[in-house]
Amino acid sequence: MQKISVTAIKRIILSCLMIASIIILYRTYNKIFYYTNQNIQPFSNLTYHVSKSLDIPDGIWLHRVNSPERAKYFLNSFSGFEMDIYYDDTKNIFNVDHDNRDYNTTLYDMFSVIKDRKYVWIWLDFKNLNNANKEKANLRLNELISIFSIPKEHIIVESPAIEQLKIFTDDGYPTSFYFTPPSGESWREKMELVRARFYASGVTAVSSDLCHYDIVKAAFSNVPWLFWDLKSYNRRNILTFIAGHIRRLLLFNEPNVRVLLVGEQKILR
């Protein structure tokens, strides 16, 4: 049997390493830029008449902070928290939970945790904002920020209900349109209607999953963007984790990106 020379073995090892490196680089590249794979034609420019400017520092905020325990644990790690709220008009309270389950946690409880940390900003994902509850909800939120001396400028009220956000915008809160792209063959025509509603509303910003980055950029090119990117903090996969950090650095070179929500697995709620 013919023996394989040392040089040949080295070449084989080197070739394997090169192939492995190419595969790793390719996979990392795809993980970094998973949100930019759509070829979407830009929409026409519309004038952006904002009622309330978004005067917040650009930064990484924590997604789904729906318990006092989670808020306390991460209080010194993030400049902002996102919370899911449902307004209960029978009790005049905001329940805090993503699915409105009975955890007996209210926005009063959450504000009690952060009241002494004036640098913490709050993103409120208002799940059930509507015409029937918007006025009472606005009054209750005003009461809460007065009790805990939280500036309105530190709270972003978010909802897919564009017109109903107006009461919060007019009252001095930064607001954000929770955007989910329309679907179907006529999606572009539907987008024009959505854009017309948004640009006429005075709402401060647009918020969406980072996977919708391309369409947000094409449709709302002159608007502040708030994204959530729950792939950024996946510590179980080293490539995903590294790609998430690179992605964050790249995104904040984009002037429209103001906030990026990330996930953390500890003390979920």
Side-chain angles (χ1 to χ4, degrees):
M1 182 184 301
Q2 185 177 3
K3 293 184 178 179
I4 301 176
S5 68
V6 174
T7 302
I9 294 175
K10 288 182 178 179
R11 287 176 179 173
I12 293 171
I13 294 174
L14 182 60
S15 298
C16 292
L17 289 174
M18 289 180 64
I19 293 171
S21 298
I22 291 171
I23 293 173
I24 291 172
L25 288 173
Y26 178 75
R27 291 183 61 190
T28 304
Y29 178 88
N30 285 337
K31 288 177 183 293
I32 293 171
F33 294 104
Y34 78 89
Y35 58 94
T36 57
N37 58 356
Q38 302 179 61
N39 184 21
I40 299 174
Q41 290 295 109
F43 289 78
S44 60
N45 289 327
L46 294 176
T47 304
Y48 175 52
H49 294 294
V50 62
S51 299
K52 177 66 181 178
S53 62
L54 193 59
D55 187 20
I56 60 173
D58 298 352
I60 305 297
W61 294 9
L62 182 59
H63 176 256
R64 200 173 292 187
V65 183
N66 291 340
S67 70
E69 294 78 17
R70 186 164 166 84
K72 290 175 184 176
Y73 188 89
F74 290 108
L75 198 54
N76 296 317
S77 303
F78 293 90
S79 59
F81 292 156
E82 183 253 3
M83 303 175 186
D84 301 300
I85 61 172
Y86 288 82
Y87 180 67
D88 183 339
D89 58 357
T90 60
K91 298 179 180 179
N92 192 28
I93 60 173
F94 287 101
N95 291 314
V96 179
D97 185 67
H98 185 267
D99 301 308
N100 201 25
R101 294 165 293 188
D102 187 14
Y103 279 119
N104 298 317
T105 299
T106 68
L107 197 55
Y108 183 98
D109 301 325
M110 301 302 295
F111 283 177
S112 298
V113 174
I114 65 169
K115 62 182 178 180
D116 296 325
R117 304 299 179 96
K118 297 297 187 294
Y119 62 84
V120 176
W121 276 258
I122 304 298
W123 170 336
L124 295 177
D125 182 354
F126 196 157
K127 296 293 189 180
N128 68 330
L129 175 62
N130 55 49
N131 273 324
N133 67 20
K134 63 183 182 182
E135 293 184 1
K136 291 179 68 175
N138 180 62
L139 289 173
R140 179 54 181 162
L141 186 56
N142 285 340
E143 291 174 356
L144 290 174
I145 66 169
S146 177
I147 292 171
F148 295 104
S149 300
I150 300 174
K152 287 182 178 179
E153 292 76 13
H154 283 217
I155 295 178
I156 300 172
V157 182
E158 177 200 39
S159 172
I162 298 177
E163 288 78 11
Q164 285 69 38
L165 282 171
K166 178 176 172 57
I167 190 170
F168 293 94
T169 310
D170 291 346
D171 203 14
Y173 292 97
T175 51
S176 186
F177 167 45
Y178 184 117
F179 171 68
T180 302
S183 58
E185 293 182 0
S186 59
W187 74 270
R188 199 167 179 95
E189 288 76 9
K190 295 175 184 176
M191 270 301 308
E192 291 290 5
L193 297 176
V194 171
R195 294 175 73 239
R197 289 172 59 210
F198 173 82
Y199 279 98
S201 69
V203 170
T204 314
V206 170
S207 47
S208 191
D209 191 306
L210 187 60
C211 66
H212 303 314
Y213 173 90
D214 288 320
I215 190 170
V216 169
K217 186 172 184 176
F220 306 102
S221 60
N222 55 347
V223 176
W225 306 331
L226 316 177
F227 286 110
W228 52 92
D229 176 26
L230 304 187
K231 297 183 180 182
S232 288
Y233 265 55
N234 186 347
R235 301 180 187 275
R236 298 175 183 175
N237 185 312
I238 187 63
L239 287 184
T240 301
F241 185 62
I242 293 172
H245 280 276
I246 297 173
R247 184 163 58 247
R248 287 161 49 184
L249 294 174
L250 294 172
L251 280 168
F252 281 108
N253 283 323
E254 166 61 67
N256 294 56
V257 175
R258 302 302 309 279
V259 174
L260 188 66
L261 287 182
V262 298
E264 268 286 3
Q265 297 301 310
K266 293 181 179 178
I267 315 180
L268 286 177
R269 267 271 320 278

